Amino acid sequence: MTTATIAGKQLTVDDEGFLTDPQQWDETIAPALATNIGLELSDDHWAVLRFLRSDFASEGETATLRRVSTIGGFPTKQLYQLFPKKPAKKMAYVAGLPKPKGCI
Amino acid sequence: MKRLVVIGAGTAGTMIVNKLSRELDDDWSITVVDRDDEHQYQPGFLFIPFGDYKPADVVRSRHAQIDDRATMVLESVDRVDADANSVVLMDGRTLEYDYLVIASGTHPNPAETPGLLGDEWRKSIFDFYTLEGATALHEALEDFTRGRLVVNIMETPIKCPVAPLEFAFLADSFFRQRGIRDQVELVYATPMPAVFTKPIAAERLGHLLDDRDIKVETDFYVERVEGTSLVSYDEREVDFDLLVTVPVNSGAEFVARSGLGDELNHVAVDKHTFLSKAHRNIFAIGDAADLPTSKAGSVAHFSVDVFVPNFIDYVAGRPMTEAFDGHANCFVESGDGKALLIDFNYDTEPLPGSYPVPGIGPFRLLTETVVNHIGKKAFKWTYWNVLLPGRPLPVPNRMSMAGKIQTNQGDDKT
């Protein structure tokens, strides 16, 4: 783990640049994180990010793509347009949440 | 008279009924309901496609595993009426309860993926998480002499998440022993960003796929199946001659009908006590629950060990003092008569070392050994004769750091 300066704030990140503490995230950080992976945040991006943050606050886990589509109401195809190629990972990165993981 | 109803006589449900039949006094009635009388030893399914086990080796009567003090009802559940504290069965009967345990598991749901149940289903597309699928796949593998075999996971979570990887390793070994490995292309397609996502497992095991010339397609989230092609949401295509798929897993339909499930019909529970987040007299345990750990028999086993003393306290009005730590312990077949062993929990990723006796083993963690494989095969006897009857196994339910080798990377906390 290392410290990175993002949007003028000192934040702890892992070796892939993911925030290690979701509490360090706020909405001023997201645009800088998005820029790091070549995204510019639109209203549609923000709607997804706010769902992810509120779902994480209540569930304690990063929502899966299925959860974002069925509970959040964002079709999976749209998530692939908003966060191309690797939506689950990119959404988690910009939202400052733990990335998707398996057991091993 | 107090009434406990358990839905599901699989690993978790059977263990709970047998342990509580001994622990609870005569004031209690225990009823367990399941839709059929076939208890399937699911870890054995992996060995059926390769001809090591026959279907009869992995099935016994559910009823025969259940303590005589409990009542078994064979009927499907229509719904749980949580407000009325009753379980409504498909034949119209109702089972009233004071406490309910949902242990109805999770199941492959191929209908979730458009095109999967099309013309190629059970012709060139097979699953091995059902007895029928594993048996049909055995015949297909016997006839498969050349071409591209794709192992794919539609979506996570799935039960026994290492099984598809084990299948790929065993297939490599199977084709090598038949002398046709060079005629077969093996591809492993996963929706995850990597096969191994935990740092130490990735570092120690990443070579296993390369060594076996198994090609990997990552971030491959299937939207649909078209003929003999898997098509992902980002329009990549993976063609197959033989597809071994792990369909989307979802919990029992009655969970959804009862309004108790999440987006995949798993029941939301407290991850340390299994108490429903919505109802104070409902628990969900095993694969049926939404625990953030693997859906696996070992998790069901360790969970029951925590649940039983907690339940005794809870129904007596005392606080539950045991807390489940997410402990899972899984053998991973790697082919050629060897296996790996992994041991982890909510907070600690799989680490190398020895298990269960520190420094001695006999099992080696994150290392391929013959003894690990023998342990995996011997577990079938243990399952029927020790685990299901609720007899104590000489392994702790809480994960232990003893015998594990920690490295600087071992700070993975998610």
Side-chain angles (χ1 to χ4, degrees):
Chain A
M1 273 186 281
T2 52
T3 304
T5 306
I6 300 165
K9 295 192 172 73
Q10 290 284 329
L11 304 172
T12 324
V13 298
D14 71 8
D15 52 8
E16 283 189 279
F18 280 73
L19 264 59
T20 54
D21 178 6
Q23 302 307 323
Q24 290 188 335
W25 186 92
D26 63 43
E27 292 202 354
T28 65
I29 292 165
L33 290 169
T35 303
N36 286 349
I37 56 171
L39 294 178
E40 189 175 338
L41 295 181
S42 64
D43 288 349
D44 287 344
H45 288 101
W46 275 111
V48 174
L49 295 175
R50 286 179 183 134
F51 169 75
L52 282 167
R53 290 297 304 190
S54 74
D55 193 67
F56 182 83
S58 62
E59 304 300 318
E61 297 290 324
T62 307
T64 60
L65 288 179
R66 175 172 293 263
R67 191 168 172 86
V68 177
S69 76
T70 57
I71 307 288
F74 305 97
T76 305
K77 275 286 188 197
Q78 186 195 2
L79 298 176
Y80 270 86
Q81 284 154 9
L82 292 172
F83 301 92
K85 301 284 184 196
K86 300 183 179 185
K89 200 169 176 178
K90 287 181 176 175
M91 288 181 334
Y93 175 80
V94 180
L97 298 175
K99 61 194 164 195
K101 271 187 188 157
C103 69
I104 185 171
Chain B
M1 183 65 100
K2 285 184 234 169
R3 298 154 303 180
L4 168 66
V5 171
V6 177
I7 301 176
T11 307
T14 300
M15 288 182 72
I16 284 172
V17 168
N18 289 341
K19 286 186 176 235
L20 285 178
S21 290
R22 291 196 293 268
E23 297 277 344
L24 295 173
D25 58 32
D26 293 342
D27 286 349
W28 282 83
S29 79
I30 302 178
T31 303
V32 56
V33 54
D34 205 304
R35 62 191 164 182
D36 60 43
D37 195 30
E38 273 199 9
H39 189 126
Q40 300 175 334
Y41 177 64
Q42 296 184 67
F45 290 2
L46 176 68
F47 299 106
I48 290 176
F50 304 103
D52 292 345
Y53 285 168
K54 300 278 178 258
D57 296 332
V58 297
V59 180
R60 293 191 185 184
S61 157
R62 289 191 197 276
H63 209 157
Q65 318 307 320
I66 298 286
D67 192 292
D68 289 341
R69 283 165 284 196
T71 304
M72 178 139 200
V73 174
L74 290 180
E75 182 56 72
S76 294
V77 171
D78 178 17
R79 66 187 189 279
V80 173
D81 186 342
D83 293 329
N85 296 324
S86 75
V87 176
V88 183
L89 302 179
M90 280 298 187
D91 63 6
R93 279 182 293 169
T94 57
L95 303 171
E96 312 288 325
Y97 62 79
D98 296 294
Y99 295 92
L100 176 69
V101 174
I102 297 173
S104 42
T106 191
H107 305 280
N109 195 350
E112 273 290 327
T113 304
L116 187 58
L117 287 176
D119 293 341
E120 294 297 322
W121 180 251
R122 300 272 162 91
K123 285 186 186 157
S124 62
I125 301 176
F126 298 86
D127 66 315
F128 69 95
Y129 276 70
T130 61
L131 194 52
E132 300 75 25
T135 307
L137 178 55
H138 173 54
E139 288 180 33
L141 278 182
E142 288 290 324
D143 295 339
F144 192 72
T145 52
R146 60 186 304 131
R148 174 185 258 224
L149 190 161
V150 176
V151 179
N152 108 287
I153 300 165
M154 289 294 178
E155 185 167 328
T156 60
I158 55 169
K159 57 182 160 184
C160 197
V162 290
L165 191 59
E166 295 179 275
F167 185 90
F169 291 157
L170 290 177
D172 165 68
S173 181
F174 176 84
F175 292 125
R176 253 188 298 111
Q177 282 163 19
R178 301 202 145 198
I180 56 168
R181 181 63 183 88
D182 57 344
Q183 305 292 316
V184 177
E185 187 184 0
L186 281 174
V187 179
Y188 188 84
T190 170
M192 301 299 287
V195 176
F196 300 104
T197 54
K198 297 292 173 95
I200 293 175
E203 182 191 318
R204 291 182 60 99
L205 305 180
H207 66 93
L208 292 175
L209 291 128
D210 278 351
D211 291 351
R212 289 159 175 76
D213 194 24
I214 298 169
K215 296 180 181 66
V216 177
E217 190 78 24
T218 56
D219 295 298
F220 193 77
Y221 188 21
V222 174
E223 182 185 23
R224 62 189 187 275
V225 180
E226 288 183 2
T228 53
S229 280
L230 294 169
V231 185
S232 66
Y233 275 97
D234 54 352
E235 300 296 334
R236 279 180 284 159
E237 292 189 17
V238 169
D239 298 335
F240 56 84
D241 296 302
L242 182 61
L243 175 67
V244 178
T245 188
V246 183
V248 174
N249 278 204
S250 48
E253 288 288 327
F254 82 81
V255 172
R257 287 194 293 270
S258 310
L260 294 171
D262 66 8
E263 66 280 3
L264 285 168
N265 302 349
H266 299 131
V267 183
V269 296
D270 178 88
K271 69 179 186 177
H272 299 299
T273 63
F274 320 109
L275 184 61
S276 159
K277 287 180 176 171
H279 301 280
R280 303 299 296 168
N281 62 342
I282 297 178
F283 293 84
I285 200 160
D287 294 348
D290 74 339
L291 301 177
T293 185
S294 288
K295 294 189 178 301
S298 61
V299 171
H301 159 205
F302 299 135
S303 297
V304 170
D305 285 352
V306 169
F307 168 77
V308 167
N310 271 350
F311 185 75
I312 306 280
D313 281 337
Y314 189 70
V315 299
R318 296 186 295 266
M320 294 189 276
T321 54
E322 302 275 327
F324 183 56
D325 64 354
H327 187 194
N329 179 281
C330 305
F331 290 105
V332 184
E333 285 291 303
S334 57
D336 298 334
K338 291 184 183 174
L340 302 145
L341 182 63
I342 54 174
D343 191 69
F344 58 95
N345 70 9
Y346 289 141
D347 300 319
T348 308
E349 67 175 308
L351 295 173
S354 53
Y355 182 89
V357 184
I360 293 174
F363 304 120
R364 292 277 172 267
L365 297 166
L366 282 186
T367 305
E368 284 183 88
T369 72
V370 172
V371 174
N372 288 342
H373 168 73
I374 292 168
K376 172 139 185 159
K377 281 295 188 82
F379 193 75
K380 182 154 73 91
W381 184 91
T382 309
Y383 181 81
W384 296 113
N385 295 287
V386 183
L387 201 70
L388 289 185
R391 298 198 177 98
L393 260 179
V395 294
N397 66 60
R398 296 185 75 82
M399 199 208 73
S400 167
M401 287 305 292
K404 291 201 169 93
I405 301 160
Q406 287 178 278
T407 70
N408 292 333
Q409 282 187 290
D411 55 9
D412 186 294
K413 288 285 178 193
T414 48

